[in-house]
Amino acid sequence: MAGVCDRAPNFLSPSGNQVLGPALGSVVTLNCTASVVSGPHCPPPSVQWLKDGLLLGNGSHYDLQEDSWVQANLSEVLVSSVLGVNLTSAEDYGAFTCSVQNVSSFSFTLWRAGSAGHLAAVLASLLVLLVLLLAALLYVKCRLNVLLWYQDTYGEVEVNDGKLYDAYVSYSDSAEDRKFVNFILKPQLERRRGYKLFLDDRDLLPRAEPSADLLVNLSRCRRLIVVLSDAFLGRAWCSHSFREGLCRLLELTRRPIFITFEGQRRDPAHPALHLLRQHRHLVTLLCWRPGSVTPSSDFWKELQLALPRKVHYRAMEGDPQTRLQDDKDPMLVVRGCGPDSGTLDPELDPDPQGDLGVRGTVFGEPSAPPCASGVSLAEGRGGEVDVSDLGSRNYGARTDFYCLVSEDDV
């Protein structure tokens, strides 16, 4: 019978070691129920509670209730002990162990959820703040690049509008402005980025009234760029009638672009600069700084965003305006040695960008005559060129016109 009495109890509750996180000020009930094999000569099973390895003493913080049930044949005893813990301070937390007959035990670990919860909330807040700071940094660093990509991919293509130039550049006739426009602004926009500029160093709005030349020139340009240097701000209309002049410019052009300079000698509170800052939603105000000369600086990116979207077409495919209109202009027809040839013969057109006369080779043998299938301007074969719809075509955006002449006219 001694072997029966020494058998390990079968715990019904808890099924294993438990970790609980009750809040401070609450009451926790720990239930320890086990089935113990017994016999006529076995002592009644006992349940002991330990806290952090020490026997739990009587106190006002604990409420202990014990019950037991014995089967009719005395072969098994069901014992239950319920411990109520009143968590009034941090010392009431710890590891509570339920031991039956000093043979087997399970533990309840109570930890303070309040402090740990605050720590988790603080860590989560710091993580969110870090993510926001990282997103803000990426936005500041990559905002212009993303906007440029969107403009180059989905921006409006301003073609077939009768405009000859992408921008009208107005500046004062001073040595510093001429150097800035001709040696910095123009090379960067025309050579590196493919824009076409119209430069004008005359007074933009004398007496705040647009001249006839200004109206004509602005009608040929898609944007207006004004270089607001010290010399430009020294003009009379900039000091006395800039508001009226700005209203005229807003009527004549789409969102004019004004370039100011950091560290200008004139008063930063100049009436013209103050008015432009108040109307940033109507104009594009850029500031030239010492580091802006770098091609990858933010100044050029912001300026490119304010200018029309530039579409780069593959070389030797004809004029983009007529190509988008599916035009079959005989002056722009791609010629080759086959009826379906899609490449331009360099011998027939030595200057595809627009020549002003007939050019021939300087060294070497004379060029071979064109293929028999090419378009000829001779009198006997003039009927091969369809010129019935020449009057309906739009040539408002072209500057390199050709003349169709015959041998008799020459």
Side-chain angles (χ1 to χ4, degrees), residues 7 61 326:
R7 291 183 182 179
H61 299 296
D326 196 19

Side-chain angles (χ1 to χ4, degrees), residues 379-409:
E379 181 179 0
R381 310 180 70 176
E384 299 180 5
V385 181
D386 183 11
V387 296
S388 60
D389 58 342
L390 281 178
S392 62
R393 299 191 177 106
N394 181 10
Y395 298 100
R398 293 192 53 80
T399 59
D400 50 347
F401 292 101
Y402 292 76
C403 294
L404 297 178
V405 298
S406 63
E407 294 180 357
D408 296 337
D409 296 331

Side-chain angles (χ1 to χ4, degrees), residues 151-189:
Q151 182 190 52
D152 294 339
T153 306
Y154 303 103
E156 178 185 1
V157 180
E158 300 181 30
V159 295
N160 194 27
D161 54 0
K163 306 291 185 179
L164 302 181
Y165 302 93
D166 292 305
Y168 178 103
V169 182
S170 177
Y171 60 101
S172 66
D173 188 15
S174 64
E176 294 182 356
D177 285 12
R178 288 197 301 268
K179 290 180 182 178
F180 175 76
V181 172
N182 291 282
F183 294 99
I184 297 180
L185 189 64
K186 181 179 179 181
Q188 184 66 227
L189 293 181

Side-chain angles (χ1 to χ4, degrees), residues 81-161:
S81 177
V82 178
L83 177 66
V85 182
N86 187 12
L87 302 174
T88 58
S89 62
E91 289 76 10
D92 295 332
Y93 291 90
F96 292 83
T97 304
C98 172
S99 176
V100 178
Q101 292 184 343
N102 296 327
V103 176
S104 180
S105 63
F106 280 99
S107 64
F108 299 86
T109 303
L110 304 183
W111 54 276
R112 188 173 179 179
S115 59
H118 289 306
L119 179 61
V122 171
L123 293 178
S125 302
L126 292 177
L127 181 60
V128 172
L129 181 60
L130 181 61
V131 171
L132 292 178
L133 290 177
L134 182 60
L137 181 62
L138 291 177
Y139 176 79
V140 172
K141 293 295 183 181
C142 306
R143 177 182 64 90
L144 295 178
N145 294 330
V146 173
L147 293 177
L148 282 176
W149 170 83
Y150 183 84
Q151 182 190 52
D152 294 339
T153 306
Y154 303 103
E156 178 185 1
V157 180
E158 300 181 30
V159 295
N160 194 27
D161 54 0

